[in-house]
């Protein structure tokens, strides 16, 4: 499980871009209390789609 900040760093984008990806459903989110976490598999799937 990754934080929004970790995903932003991995994608080399700002956190707002990660939130936009979450809103569009391009990344899966899991709520842990009041915090958002992104499964690593969801990030890997997004990266795989971008490589096609």
């Amino acid at each position: 499980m990754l934080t929004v900040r970790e995903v932003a760093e991995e994608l080399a984008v700002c956190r707002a871009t990660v939130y936009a990806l979450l809103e569009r459903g391009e990344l899966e989110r899991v709520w842990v209390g009041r915090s958002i976490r992104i499964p690593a598999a969801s990030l890997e799937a997004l990266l795989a789609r971008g490589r096609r």
Side-chain angles (χ1 to χ4, degrees):
M1 300 296 258
L2 305 166
T3 65
V4 171
R5 179 172 296 216
E6 290 169 333
V7 172
E9 289 174 4
E10 182 70 29
L11 296 175
V13 299
C14 68
R15 289 183 299 151
T17 301
V18 175
Y19 286 114
L21 291 168
L22 290 166
E23 287 301 314
R24 290 196 305 257
E26 295 184 43
L27 282 172
E28 180 185 348
R29 81 177 83 191
V30 175
W31 287 97
V32 178
R34 293 178 53 189
S35 300
I36 293 174
R37 295 293 183 264
I38 296 115
S42 180
L43 175 59
E44 291 168 10
L46 176 72
L47 292 171
R49 287 192 302 268
R51 291 185 183 129
R52 287 193 234 171

